[in-house]
Amino acid sequence: ALGGETATANRFDDYEEGSFTPTLEQGYTSITYNNQNGFYTKIGDLVTFRIYLYVQGATGAAADIRIGGLPFTSRNTTRNWSGAYLTYTNGFMNHESGYSDKDSPTWSISTNSTFITPYKHHNGAAIYGNDTTLGTGGNNMYLLLQGMYTTAS
């Protein structure tokens, strides 16, 4: 659509919608999923996405958590980190009583990657799978995220 414009440079010609399969690619082993759903919209170089993970169970590992499978590789440009926010969880991250900095982590997508990683709010430290509810015996845990990033694709 050109909206009255005739210049080809103003043409809206790069729009895509689709789905992908998010995975817990690091931080856990022996993962059993109930559901793994991802949906995206790409307009130009901007990708917005939604992730729905419902995990029956997993064993936590002493490694930072990574949710992989994002549909495009993030742009490989200095200081181009992007992120997401948590829209729903049933305690997936926090196994401690009371509030923890893992309850509302910062979710970041580094440059040139197809995964997203949570970090503690107060100090920016990575969160390991063996320090979460899911990784310490929790079952049927939900994690819903929504975010955006830029891509060179």
Side-chain angles (χ1 to χ4, degrees):
L2 295 177
E5 291 264 345
T6 57
T8 305
N10 294 331
R11 185 173 307 228
F12 182 66
D13 62 356
D14 187 9
Y15 179 87
E16 180 179 338
E17 292 181 349
S19 61
F20 62 98
T21 304
T23 61
L24 293 170
E25 72 176 34
Q26 186 173 296
Y28 300 97
T29 60
S30 305
I31 305 160
T32 305
Y33 297 98
N34 289 324
N35 293 98
Q36 303 163 259
N37 303 104
F39 304 95
Y40 73 89
T41 302
K42 179 179 174 286
I43 302 173
D45 67 349
L46 181 65
V47 180
T48 61
F49 65 90
R50 294 172 317 285
I51 290 175
Y52 172 89
L53 286 176
Y54 177 26
V55 183
Q56 182 178 348
T59 302
D64 58 316
I65 298 167
R66 289 185 181 177
I67 297 175
L70 293 176
F72 300 93
T73 302
S74 62
R75 186 179 293 278
N76 191 15
T77 305
T78 304
R79 294 179 298 281
N80 194 48
W81 284 50
S82 299
Y85 58 92
L86 191 63
T87 60
Y88 177 78
T89 182
N90 64 342
F92 189 104
M93 303 296 287
N94 183 17
H95 68 280
E96 302 160 5
S97 62
Y99 180 79
S100 164
D101 53 2
K102 292 177 287 188
D103 284 327
S104 60
T106 300
W107 292 86
S108 295
I109 303 167
S110 62
T111 60
N112 200 34
S113 68
T114 56
F115 60 85
I116 185 166
T117 305
Y119 295 95
K120 294 179 181 178
H121 245 167
H122 82 282
N123 65 3
I127 300 173
Y128 287 8
N130 64 358
D131 192 26
T132 65
T133 304
L134 177 63
T136 56
N139 340 346
N140 297 314
M141 306 305 297
Y142 290 91
L143 185 67
L144 284 68
L145 299 168
Q146 186 162 335
M148 69 175 73
Y149 63 101
T150 57
T151 182
S153 299

